[in-house]
Amino acid sequence: MTRNIHPADELALVRSDIRRLKEREEFLRRGFLGDKLPRHGAEAVVEVNTLRNKRFLRDRLPPSILEDPSYWTDARVQHVCVRPR
């Protein structure tokens, strides 16, 4: 049986499910990283790899660059927020 719910309510439910799943994922991730959980399952194997990447150290830029508006641009992003009624 499929419930007919308002799209706003459905979005709230989906985000609640996502939040719950992310919490579970983080619990499992910590368990694998700490070598506290078995990594071989019936249908999947977990591998823990170390990746390297470069990071830009913005705080090391001289103030003359940080304060120069020609190095900056404004960006607009639309955000959909859900709040209880």
Side-chain angles (χ1 to χ4, degrees):
M1 180 171 134
T2 302
R3 285 184 17 188
N4 186 14
I5 62 173
H6 191 279
D9 296 331
E10 183 180 6
L11 180 59
L13 288 171
V14 167
R15 288 189 175 176
S16 175
D17 288 345
I18 290 170
R19 190 170 26 260
R20 179 182 52 78
L21 290 169
K22 283 184 176 184
E23 288 171 1
R24 181 62 180 163
E25 178 187 26
E26 182 57 26
F27 170 82
L28 293 169
R29 182 180 178 278
R30 283 193 311 269
F32 292 126
L33 289 174
D35 208 20
K36 296 176 182 172
L37 294 175
R39 296 183 184 174
H40 295 268
E43 298 180 26
V45 176
V46 171
E47 297 177 350
V48 176
N49 300 310
T50 301
L51 305 175
R52 293 180 60 156
N53 63 1
K54 292 184 179 186
R55 292 217 171 153
F56 185 75
L57 301 175
R58 182 178 178 265
D59 60 326
R60 292 194 182 175
L61 287 174
S64 61
I65 291 178
L66 289 172
E67 295 166 3
D68 186 340
S70 66
Y71 290 105
W72 295 90
T73 186
D74 288 328
R76 289 186 178 205
V77 176
Q78 290 185 309
H79 176 73
V80 177
C81 179
V82 179
R83 62 176 173 74
R85 201 167 174 184

